[in-house]
Amino acid sequence: AQSLAGRELLERVYAEVYAGLVLAEEGGAVSSVKDVRHKSTSIAERALDADPPRFALRARWEVDGIVRHFGHAHWRTNGYDARYELARTEAGWRIVASEILGSERLAAGTNDPSRADAEPLPEPARR
């Protein structure tokens, strides 16, 4: 809430994050995030002389997690690509717009990490 400008954006971003953790298309699967890796960030656009000053950036990251559904659990690694626009507000620099540009499953496994005899999760998928 402190990073975003406006209630509407906060509600939309919260709904996107929640939808990503509870995957309705997979029978209500629930995900637990285990690791997040920053892959890259670049400035996409600058308008620092604008009123208000603003800039846009592109970010890529990977998330390792455990997905629980249909009576079992397994690990998964997903990659994400997004664009964020930031502007200077009275409260400081805030995200004023965001757009997920893409997501993809990079790796998945059938190893059930919740079982006592489970093999350790594999090293994170690296590209």
Side-chain angles (χ1 to χ4, degrees):
Q2 295 177 2
S3 300
L4 303 168
R7 180 102 179 141
E8 183 179 320
L9 180 60
L10 174 62
E11 289 174 358
R12 184 177 60 80
V13 169
Y14 177 83
E16 288 172 357
V17 170
Y18 182 79
L21 294 175
V22 179
L23 308 170
E25 71 274 5
E26 295 195 29
V30 177
S31 302
S32 300
V33 173
K34 298 300 178 191
D35 190 29
V36 177
R37 285 179 306 287
H38 170 260
K39 300 305 284 182
S40 67
T41 304
S42 59
I43 300 294
E45 192 180 312
R46 282 180 211 158
L48 299 178
D49 294 336
D51 186 25
R54 58 184 50 233
F55 68 95
L57 61 86
R58 182 119 177 226
R60 291 185 176 94
W61 67 96
E62 293 178 358
V63 177
D64 296 327
I66 297 172
V67 179
R68 291 177 176 82
H69 59 150
F70 304 124
H72 75 282
H74 56 90
W75 63 271
R76 180 179 296 169
T77 299
N78 287 350
Y80 298 92
D81 180 14
R83 183 178 190 282
Y84 296 95
E85 187 171 333
L86 291 86
R88 189 168 21 201
T89 69
E90 290 180 9
W93 286 94
R94 297 292 185 265
I95 298 170
V96 296
S98 71
E99 178 183 8
I100 300 294
L101 301 172
S103 66
E104 64 179 316
R105 185 177 304 177
L106 301 175
T110 58
N111 184 27
D112 185 339
S114 64
R115 291 179 39 148
D117 63 346
E119 295 290 322
L121 294 178
E123 289 296 313
R126 306 273 184 208
R127 299 215 297 164

